Amino acid sequence: MQTNKTWANRVADYVDELEVVATNVQQLVANSRIQTKASAASEVAESGLELLEAVGRLETMVEQREQLLSDAQAPASGTTLIEKLRQSGEIDLADRSQSVAHIIATTHQAAVSLFVCQYHLASHSQEILRLLAGLDTPRTYRRSGSGEERERGGGQLFNDAA
């Protein structure tokens, strides 16, 4: 392995690795989404562990990025790798980096949506039982008012129907 790589070559290697990791995370989020829709709870838990490991790899890459940003060979101007690459004339690599950044951003959005969905599905059975029994429960998302009434369950629906 060559140790005297230029800064741009080291960034290219970093982007290669980042793309592999980001694509893996993207695929795991997509698989978790499919498994959530199919209600395969055991598969969701297993893929959750894989996703956690892949996200951990992605987090370790932040340190590598920081090292590349502060490298002595890096252009002085710019606060991101993309800005520094554009400043140094590495337009193709900057565009590729932008593409990988887009993968990460869309995967982040999908992961947050998936988390919210799984959070609400996890308590779905309890929520149905609460509604059938007519039990009170605090609101999921509290408003700023402090004197709010508690949300009423749906048990009265069956009483009214009878």
Side-chain angles (χ1 to χ4, degrees), residues 93-106:
L93 184 53
D95 290 345
R96 193 158 156 262
S97 298
Q98 186 71 48
S99 176
V100 173
H102 180 72
I103 291 171
I104 293 170
T106 57

Side-chain angles (χ1 to χ4, degrees), residues 21 40 76 89 100 105 119 121 129 148 153 160:
V21 173
V100 173
Y119 173 82
L121 284 176
L129 290 174
E148 292 183 34
D160 293 343

Side-chain angles (χ1 to χ4, degrees), residues 2-157:
Q2 188 180 22
T3 56
N4 293 334
K5 289 185 176 182
T6 66
W7 179 79
N9 288 344
R10 285 180 285 145
V11 172
D13 291 345
Y14 169 80
V15 172
D16 289 343
E17 184 180 354
L18 183 62
E19 184 174 28
V20 169
V21 173
T23 303
N24 184 38
V25 171
Q26 182 183 43
Q27 187 62 47
L28 288 169
V29 168
N31 289 345
S32 291
R33 186 171 170 231
I34 291 167
Q35 291 162 349
T36 298
K37 285 182 179 180
S39 299
S42 62
E43 293 176 10
V44 169
E46 183 179 314
S47 68
L49 293 174
E50 290 177 65
L51 183 58
L52 185 61
E53 182 180 316
V55 168
R57 283 188 61 210
L58 192 59
E59 288 175 343
T60 62
M61 299 203 67
V62 172
E63 183 179 328
Q64 291 175 21
R65 183 191 69 206
E66 294 303 317
Q67 290 172 354
L68 288 168
L69 285 170
S70 62
D71 190 281
Q73 292 181 349
S77 64
T79 57
T80 68
L81 285 179
I82 295 169
E83 290 172 357
K84 288 181 180 278
L85 287 167
R86 290 196 193 288
Q87 185 72 6
S88 67
E90 297 286 342
I91 305 303
D92 290 341
L93 184 53
D95 290 345
R96 193 158 156 262
S97 298
Q98 186 71 48
S99 176
V100 173
H102 180 72
I103 291 171
I104 293 170
T106 57
T107 302
H108 175 260
Q109 186 178 24
V112 170
S113 298
L114 179 64
F115 170 78
V116 170
C117 178
Q118 287 179 346
Y119 173 82
H120 287 288
L121 284 176
S123 63
H124 184 67
S125 296
Q126 292 175 342
E127 187 66 15
I128 290 174
L129 290 174
R130 183 195 64 77
L131 288 171
L132 293 175
L135 300 174
D136 289 344
T137 185
R139 294 182 188 271
T140 302
Y141 303 106
R142 297 193 187 276
R143 294 185 184 159
S144 58
S146 59
E148 292 183 34
E149 293 182 22
R150 294 170 67 89
E151 197 174 277
R152 290 290 303 162
Q156 188 62 33
L157 174 70

